Amino acid sequence: MEANLSPSKKRKQLVLDLVATLIVLLLALLVVLPIWWIFRSSLMSTAKLNEYPPSFIPHEWLWANYSKALETFEYWRYFRNTFSIIIPAVTFGTVTAIFCGYAFARLRFRGKKLIFNICVGTILLPAWLPCFLCTWYGPRDWGWGIPTGR
């Protein structure tokens, strides 16, 4: 289809492609920048973290910070707690989604739209449930994967 375009349309298409590429690169940078910032912060000393203006690349890479973190916090306990919640939740959610997806795609029944809307609405439940628990009961160590320091 590009063979039939006039030179002005080709130029316009090239400019649009360039602008779209720049927008995608900018959005990718917005996604990668916080990840880089956390990674570089994990390799810096506390004194260097509190300096102003902050350095974008650490002058000294402190890989020992990771071993200190494993010794300071009960990392493996938090890891086990997290996965004791994640594995059953993901397994149950996937199996349920398979059955529900099949039923909504292939079967006709009364109240199908209402039940579908309820299912879609419950997708929001995992996002607000921890917020609700911490707001209602206060922050504490539930024995789950979210350490709160208590």
Side-chain angles (χ1 to χ4, degrees), residues 3-79:
N4 298 335
L5 295 176
S6 67
S8 64
K9 287 186 179 182
K10 283 183 182 179
R11 187 176 302 123
K12 184 178 179 181
Q13 185 64 39
L14 182 66
V15 169
L16 287 175
D17 288 346
L18 184 63
V19 168
T21 302
L22 289 175
I23 289 172
V24 168
L25 287 175
L26 180 66
L27 291 174
L29 183 65
L30 287 174
V31 169
V32 171
L33 186 62
I35 296 169
W36 165 254
W37 198 260
I38 290 171
F39 174 70
R40 72 108 195 149
S41 297
S42 72
L43 296 172
M44 296 173 75
S45 66
T46 306
K48 292 287 184 185
L49 280 174
N50 294 327
E51 281 184 355
Y52 186 82
S55 61
F56 191 71
I57 298 174
H59 299 292
E60 184 181 356
W61 299 72
L62 300 176
W63 294 99
N65 287 350
Y66 287 105
S67 61
K68 286 180 189 174
L70 289 176
E71 294 168 2
T72 305
F73 302 105
E74 298 177 51
Y75 176 78
W76 295 111
R77 176 179 169 228
Y78 298 147
F79 185 83

Side-chain angles (χ1 to χ4, degrees), residues 90-106:
V90 169
T91 303
F92 179 73
T94 303
V95 170
T96 304
I98 290 169
F99 289 131
C100 289
Y102 180 82
F104 287 127
R106 299 290 182 181

